[in-house]
Amino acid sequence: MRKTETIRVNAGRGYDVKIAEGLLADCGEEVAKACPKAKKAAVVCDEHLMLPWCETVCASLYDAGLSCGLLTIRAGEANKTLAQYGRILEFLAEEKISRTDVLVALGGGMTGDMAGFAAATYLRGIDCVQIPTSLLAMVDSSVGGKTAVDLPSGKNLAGAFHQPALVLCDPLVLRTLPESDFSDGMAEVIKYGVLGDPKLFAAVRDCLLARAATPDHSGASVPGVKKSMDRRIAEVIASCVRDKQQIVEMDEFDRGERMKLNLGHTVGHAIELCSGYEISHGRAVAAGLAIICRAAASRGLMPQRDAEEVCELLRLAQLPAETSYSVKELAEAALSDKKLMGGILYLIVPSGIGACGILPVYPEELPAWIEAGL
Ligand code: GLY
């Protein structure tokens, strides 16, 4: 029998995050249970998702008695726009989705953010089931109810908090992803380890070392090895979701504790912006994390050895620990990212592997922080 890990998130709206291999094939039953009044499901998926996964999801929804419409959207952060968001709203209207129906967001972080925002605003809010298909979306963006689109002047500038009705993670999908998508997700996983979970940090190192020593990384050609790799990855996903659940329950609306999830993101978002979103979120966050760790170490706030360990783990995950952008470029981009609150930037600064603090910083102090970490 399949082993399902269920993590309950008690936010304003309580919901389950379920993690199990093969969940996609049974998603219809799960959606019908979580949204018992729904008659229709509008599935929004990104173009990179392999067709068989879309078919599996639609067939399962149909078998559970839900009529199902499918919209494929363009993938990539550069397409997380008001125009594509408008297309989703139009699709929901054309499908005659009612207040009791459900939107199913099937894809990576960008799909979940944008489709989630459409669910938050269509008819002033309908149910949304998140079915993340990338490691990054499973461990972070699908949980916690942040939904948004980007504006030309910055990332996630229009959005809403809209908790999902259910999140379904099927680690089997990850086997079909390119290696670079796996490492992108690992950046957020390592972030969780650094900000508050030293056990996870150590488990990730073991997992990556085992993976590196395995034929073709996932052990796909050796069934026993593949099973144990899949199990380790499912455990890593569950640990991250538990960490996030605790933070979201403490601070659903991102006024305090939840800001810690932005560790590595001040410089990370700046790198994404400087690159015109050519550098992926995971890679940008990895470099941002390395920079803030080195800056904290150089200011005596974090042991040097811990900062080095973080950079080593990022490299082991095939992620960058450096950026070629200058202090000026990064500081300008970071300050244009509308992250200031009352003229103050809140920088998340690690004090070791497994602990971090929220430090108020004046904008004019930011270049020195970045310089210390480059
Ligand atoms: N991804 C950061 C957060 O959910 O707060």
Side-chain angles (χ1 to χ4, degrees):
M1 208 173 88
R2 186 174 67 204
K3 184 177 171 303
T4 303
E5 172 92 40
T6 301
I7 298 162
R8 182 84 186 158
V9 182
N10 289 308
R13 170 190 196 150
Y15 56 97
D16 287 338
V17 180
K18 297 194 173 192
I19 305 162
E21 289 188 7
L23 252 188
L24 241 59
D26 295 338
C27 68
E29 212 179 295
E30 298 288 351
V31 172
K33 258 192 276 168
C35 311
K37 290 189 181 153
K39 300 248 178 304
K40 289 183 183 171
V43 181
V44 177
C45 87
D46 82 48
E47 63 191 354
H48 287 166
L49 193 72
M50 287 165 70
L51 192 60
W53 294 124
C54 296
E55 287 171 353
T56 302
V57 166
C58 291
S60 175
L61 289 165
Y62 184 79
D63 288 348
L66 289 155
S67 78
C68 179
L70 176 69
L71 176 73
T72 305
I73 55 168
R74 285 186 297 279
E77 189 67 30
N79 291 307
K80 209 169 101 182
T81 58
L82 283 171
Q84 274 223 100
Y85 157 72
R87 269 187 73 210
I88 302 176
L89 293 178
E90 273 302 326
F91 163 69
L92 296 173
E94 279 159 17
E95 289 289 315
K96 300 195 171 30
I97 295 297
S98 76
R99 273 211 177 137
T100 48
D101 291 326
V102 56
L103 182 154
V104 176
L106 176 65
M110 172 266 187
T111 307
D113 282 4
M114 192 161 62
F117 185 43
T121 47
Y122 177 74
L123 299 180
R124 300 194 178 85
I126 61 168
D127 277 351
C128 176
V129 171
Q130 293 279 354
I131 309 188
T133 58
S134 67
L135 180 60
L136 192 146
M138 288 184 193
V139 299
D140 188 31
S141 56
S142 64
V143 181
K146 274 192 185 176
T147 69
V149 292
D150 300 339
L151 298 184
S153 46
K155 205 173 144 81
N156 296 332
L157 290 188
F161 287 97
H162 185 65
Q163 299 295 337
L166 174 72
V167 182
L168 299 174
C169 302
D170 184 346
L172 275 188
V173 184
L174 301 180
R175 279 198 206 153
T176 58
L177 290 183
E179 195 59 21
S180 62
D181 280 38
F182 181 81
S183 40
D184 269 342
M186 272 295 159
E188 295 285 0
V189 173
I190 295 169
K191 175 199 82 176
Y192 280 108
V194 179
L195 76 86
D197 193 341
K199 270 198 199 144
L200 172 65
F201 190 89
V204 169
R205 186 175 28 220
D206 291 348
C207 176
L208 288 172
L209 285 170
R211 210 162 182 269
T214 302
D216 57 35
H217 286 318
S218 63
S221 51
V222 193
V225 174
K226 186 172 70 179
K227 254 201 154 17
S228 89
M229 253 358 280
D230 287 346
R231 200 172 47 243
R232 275 175 195 257
I233 290 164
E235 279 164 12
V236 162
I237 296 168
S239 296
C240 294
V241 171
R242 272 192 294 271
D243 288 346
K244 183 143 190 188
Q245 166 241 328
Q246 284 171 16
I247 291 176
V248 168
E249 286 181 2
M250 264 187 272
D251 175 24
E252 180 176 350
F253 297 106
D254 205 13
R255 301 278 183 260
E257 196 65 17
R258 187 165 178 173
M259 287 199 258
K260 290 184 177 173
L261 293 174
N262 272 337
L263 176 61
H265 282 60
T266 302
V267 177
H269 280 169
I271 294 172
E272 275 186 281
L273 201 60
C274 287
S275 76
Y277 299 111
E278 284 292 310
I279 297 180
S280 68
H281 181 68
R283 279 169 166 66
V285 165
L289 178 59
I291 289 166
I292 195 65
C293 286
R294 284 193 294 263
S298 88
R299 289 171 174 234
L301 301 171
M302 178 185 201
Q304 187 71 38
R305 182 64 210 130
D306 284 11
E308 281 161 16
E309 263 190 59
V310 174
C311 295
E312 277 162 26
L313 192 58
L314 291 169
R315 291 191 194 101
L316 184 61
Q318 317 280 333
L319 287 163
E322 279 84 26
T323 178
S324 55
Y325 294 107
S326 67
V327 173
K328 189 166 175 290
E329 287 169 312
L330 293 171
E332 273 175 18
L335 294 172
S336 78
D337 198 24
K338 314 277 188 298
K339 281 269 158 41
L340 300 184
M341 280 193 278
I344 305 270
L345 186 76
Y346 289 87
L347 208 54
I348 313 306
V349 181
S351 51
I353 292 171
C356 68
I358 305 171
L359 203 78
V361 166
Y362 287 111
E364 55 273 23
E365 295 174 303
L366 185 64
W369 273 95
I370 297 175
E371 181 142 40
L374 282 187

